[in-house]
């Protein structure tokens, strides 16, 4: 029997113009493919005031355990400067063995590989498997991510859906396929440091209190010491100032207030509340009762998490080694992803294509990588469902 062709599926998906949050025909295409393979497919639309309605898809075959879930998204980031593309972003052209198009790497390519691997796995077993396989596909990953995976997981859980392991297909490899599995992500937190002074004439500083002096002192203190030394699976936590603002257009006024925005990426040595308390303690110490300050914390839904290495991670790493000959690094680097939501329902790891061209002009993937990633997912399925 001929193998299912992941390149053909990837090209079909790229030709769907699903710039976030548009569905663009991508979910309809997947629905059709999975229905024909015997999946129960649900298309679910979520809404939230102030955001666009977004379509999502959940599909499952089988009722028994174990249950392996494949997660991903079909929305893509905007094209940027379309005239800068060498090949049309929705054209899915193949030139010299490389497939071009928006979403080729992030992550229609990997979604295509998962579909091809699962269809092939089922075909080889007479349309059935020893447990359950599901697809959790979001249409809202690349923008605000409020009407996508977070709600789809809740929706599935309310229907009694549970899974044993999940593979999210984000592009995880820095250079070559097989470089890196993500087994966790750092937490992310934004805040604004506000220092209040007293406005006054620049020629009469004794009658004013310049907040610039205070914010400089607090900022240097917050940047001076590392937040920790890292942990077994994580780099050291880091605080980075991203903007410093006084907003003063005059030359003769001492301003009343100064603000500095910052982002913290924190590891598993901290909880969200713990890292906030640590920063506030350091600010209190630096202020020494002389600087009037406060920190306004932004709401965050990006907590740190780690899927501890164990049999499942070894199974995935083994499949990668078998196909690529590479020993994948187990990493927690990079930004956040939908794994931050999935981890609340079960263990999740991320493995997909190479990430060098994601979100860029001329996003692309070698077709050989699509074939190899399909072979990796196929081996994972074989090992996972072999008693
Ligand atoms: Zn992505």
């Amino acid at each position: 029997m001929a193998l299912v062709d992941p390149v053909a599926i990837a090209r079909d998906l790229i030709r769907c113009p699903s710039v976030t949050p548009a569905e663009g025909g991508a979910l309809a295409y997947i629905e059709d493919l999975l229905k024909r393979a015997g999946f129960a497919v649900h298309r679910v639309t979520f809404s939230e005031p102030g955001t666009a309605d977004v379509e999502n898809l959940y599909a499952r075959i089988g009722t028994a355990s174990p249950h392996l879930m494949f997660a991903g998204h079909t929305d893509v980031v905007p094209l940027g400067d379309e005239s800068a593309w060498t090949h049309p972003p929705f054209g899915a052209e193949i030139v010299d063995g490389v497939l071009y198009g928006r979403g080729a790497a992030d992550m229609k390519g990997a979604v295509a590989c998962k579909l091809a691997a699962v269809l092939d796995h089922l075909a080889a077993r007479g349309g059935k498997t020893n447990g359950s396989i599901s697809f959790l596909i979001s249409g809202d990953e690349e923008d605000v991510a409020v009407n996508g995976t977070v709600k789809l997981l809740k929706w599935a859980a309310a229907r009694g859906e549970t899974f044993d392991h999940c593979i999210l297909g984000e592009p995880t490899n820095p250079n070559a396929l097989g470089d890196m599995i993500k087994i966790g992500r750092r937490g992310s937190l934004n805040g604004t440091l506000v220092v209040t002074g007293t406005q006054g004439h620049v020629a009469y500083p004794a009658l004013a209190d310049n907040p610039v002096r205070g914010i400089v002192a607090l900022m240097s203190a917050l940047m001076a010491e590392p937040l920790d030394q890292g942990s077994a699976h994580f780099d050291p936590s880091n605080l980075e100032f991203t903007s410093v603002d006084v907003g003063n257009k005059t030359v003769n006024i001492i301003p009343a207030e100064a603000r500095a925005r910052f982002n913290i990426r924190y590891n598993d040595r901290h909880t969200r509340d713990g890292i906030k308390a640590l920063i506030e303690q350091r600010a209190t110490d630096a202020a020494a009762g002389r600087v009037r300050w406060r920190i306004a914390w932004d709401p965050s839904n990006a907590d740190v998490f780690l899927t501890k290495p164990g049999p499942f991670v070894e199974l995935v790493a083994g499949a990668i080694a078998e196909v690529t000959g590479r020993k994948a690094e187990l990493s927690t680097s990079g930004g956040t992803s939908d794994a931050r939501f999935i981890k609340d329902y079960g263990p999740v790891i991320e493995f997909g294509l190479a990430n060098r061209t994601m979100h860029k002009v001329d996003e692309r993937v070698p077709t050989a990588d699509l074939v190899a990633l399909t072979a990796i997912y196929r081996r994972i399925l074989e090992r996972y469902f072999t008693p």
Side-chain angles (χ1 to χ4, degrees):
M1 187 183 300
L3 292 179
V4 183
D5 181 10
V7 179
I9 300 176
R11 297 182 83 180
D12 287 341
L13 287 174
I14 289 170
R15 287 177 181 139
C16 301
S18 54
V19 173
T20 197
E23 186 268 337
L27 295 178
Y29 176 88
I30 294 172
E31 176 180 19
D32 179 56
L33 209 59
L34 290 177
K35 271 190 174 159
R36 282 191 276 135
F39 276 78
V41 184
H42 305 269
R43 297 273 297 276
V44 202
T45 302
F46 296 117
S47 320
E48 181 96 14
T51 66
D53 289 1
V54 184
E55 292 186 52
N56 301 273
L57 180 148
Y58 180 77
R60 176 171 176 166
I61 192 165
T63 50
S65 59
H67 177 181
L68 180 59
M69 186 167 89
F70 287 104
H73 62 88
T74 49
D75 61 327
V76 295
V77 292
L79 308 177
D81 179 5
E82 193 173 349
S83 66
W85 286 71
T86 319
H87 304 278
F90 301 121
E93 287 179 6
I94 297 176
V95 181
D96 296 331
V98 176
L99 171 61
Y100 288 81
R102 178 55 89 219
D106 185 12
M107 55 169 280
K108 287 175 171 175
V111 169
C113 296
K114 290 172 168 188
L115 289 164
V118 167
L119 296 182
D120 191 39
H121 172 80
L122 292 171
R125 295 179 172 226
K128 289 197 187 66
T129 190
N130 291 337
S132 304
I133 302 171
S134 63
F135 284 90
L136 182 107
I137 307 292
S138 164
D140 183 17
E141 198 273 341
E142 294 290 9
D143 192 15
V144 285
V146 296
N147 289 319
T149 297
V150 66
K151 286 186 179 170
L152 194 55
L153 286 159
K154 217 176 197 175
W155 173 90
R159 297 173 53 93
E161 292 288 326
T162 56
F163 62 90
D164 296 296
H165 297 92
C166 176
I167 301 175
L168 177 62
E170 287 294 343
T172 49
N173 301 288
N175 290 301
L177 189 69
D179 280 345
M180 187 176 283
I181 303 172
K182 296 266 170 97
I183 57 166
R185 295 275 187 162
R186 293 176 297 178
S188 175
L189 194 57
N190 290 303
T192 305
L193 171 66
V194 184
V195 172
T196 312
T198 307
Q199 188 176 316
H201 196 298
V202 75
Y204 300 89
L207 301 178
D209 171 18
N210 193 341
V212 171
R213 211 165 265 122
I215 207 158
V216 166
L218 264 58
M219 286 177 68
S220 353
L222 293 179
M223 289 186 285
E225 292 278 317
L227 296 170
D228 55 57
Q229 304 300 327
S231 67
H233 294 285
F234 286 86
D235 287 337
S237 303
N238 182 55
L239 180 151
E240 209 61 40
F241 282 99
T242 51
S243 185
V244 187
D245 306 282
V246 176
N248 186 4
K249 302 243 183 323
T250 71
V251 293
N252 58 2
I253 290 175
I254 291 173
E257 190 179 89
R259 294 172 164 253
R261 287 189 55 77
F262 60 88
N263 174 266
I264 300 172
R265 297 294 160 128
Y266 61 95
N267 61 33
D268 58 350
R269 290 189 179 277
H270 310 271
T271 60
R272 193 190 301 166
D273 287 341
I275 196 83
K276 284 182 184 176
L278 174 63
I279 298 301
E280 288 178 353
Q281 186 56 53
R282 289 189 178 188
T284 303
D285 294 347
R290 289 188 297 271
V291 181
R292 279 181 289 159
W293 67 276
R294 65 189 165 86
I295 292 175
W297 296 101
D298 293 1
S300 166
N301 57 12
D303 270 331
V304 57
F305 79 94
L306 175 71
T307 297
K308 287 218 170 67
F312 181 65
V313 174
E314 279 163 27
L315 183 154
V316 172
I320 293 168
E322 217 176 280
V323 174
T324 67
R326 288 195 178 82
K327 189 176 183 305
E329 180 190 341
L330 306 182
S331 170
T332 56
S333 61
T336 65
S337 73
D338 274 352
R340 73 190 136 146
F341 306 126
I342 299 169
K343 65 107 169 48
D344 291 340
Y345 297 85
V348 53
I349 60 112
E350 298 173 65
F351 184 71
L353 292 161
N355 59 23
R356 270 177 306 180
T357 65
M358 62 179 179
H359 296 207
K360 291 188 181 172
V361 157
D362 278 341
E363 183 174 347
R364 59 194 177 273
V365 62
T367 55
D369 279 9
L370 295 173
V371 173
L373 182 58
T374 304
I376 291 168
Y377 289 148
R378 182 75 169 79
R379 273 175 176 70
I380 291 171
L381 285 159
E382 208 54 52
R383 289 170 176 218
Y384 194 81
F385 291 108
T386 299

